[in-house]
Amino acid sequence: MATKRPRRQAVSTCPCGLAETYEGCCGRFHRDEAAAPTAEALMRSRYSAFVRRDEPYLLRTWHPRTRPGRLDLDPGMRWTGLEILATTDGTPFHTTGTVTFRASFRGGTLHERSRFERVDGAWVYVDGDFPAA
């Protein structure tokens, strides 16, 4: 008689595209256990928050002067991947930075150059523009 092996629970990688689990990657930022150390890390965590529809995190990491009162996240939107195209500044030694990225969703892509600043030591999203493809 064969013995059954316990099934391994599938561990999913983080939606941001890094080869880490969600819990160990963007999840710790979403749970407010740590702050994103760079503008790129914040960008990745915000993408993951869009994937997971985490409106409180998105609002919390938006610059107070540009933050909307609320978000209307489309429940039918299915994000499928993130590609970081370029970063400028945005390290722990900077106060501003930009991240240019392409986010894919079912049916298309979003290409944006996002601007980030530090507020009280934490990186926040300011705004973005849409460069020509």
Side-chain angles (χ1 to χ4, degrees):
M1 181 169 152
T3 59
K4 289 186 176 182
R5 290 185 182 180
R7 283 190 169 184
R8 285 183 157 184
Q9 186 174 358
V11 176
S12 63
T13 58
C14 192
C16 80
L18 295 179
E20 298 180 46
T21 65
Y22 166 76
E23 294 301 321
C25 191
C26 293
R28 62 198 170 109
F29 303 138
H30 294 175
R31 292 186 306 273
D32 210 12
E33 295 172 358
T38 65
E40 180 180 334
L42 182 66
M43 171 59 235
R44 288 180 177 280
S45 71
R46 286 178 54 83
Y47 171 82
S48 292
F50 274 104
V51 170
R52 299 177 69 87
R53 293 181 189 81
D54 187 345
E55 181 179 345
Y57 180 78
L58 291 166
L59 291 172
R60 185 170 75 242
T61 58
W62 210 309
H63 197 292
R65 77 171 180 262
T66 58
R67 179 187 309 137
R70 67 185 185 100
L71 294 176
D72 292 318
L73 300 177
D74 180 355
M77 178 66 91
R78 297 289 179 256
W79 296 99
T80 58
L82 176 66
E83 179 184 6
I84 302 297
L85 303 173
T87 60
T88 304
D89 298 335
T91 74
F93 303 104
H94 294 105
T95 56
T96 63
T98 63
V99 179
T100 304
F101 67 92
R102 184 175 299 117
S104 300
F105 57 90
R106 197 175 337 153
T109 60
L110 170 69
H111 183 191
E112 181 176 321
R113 181 182 306 113
S114 296
R115 283 178 282 284
F116 298 88
E117 291 180 13
R118 283 187 187 265
V119 172
D120 297 328
W123 285 106
V124 292
Y125 169 78
V126 178
D127 60 17
D129 55 42
F130 306 101

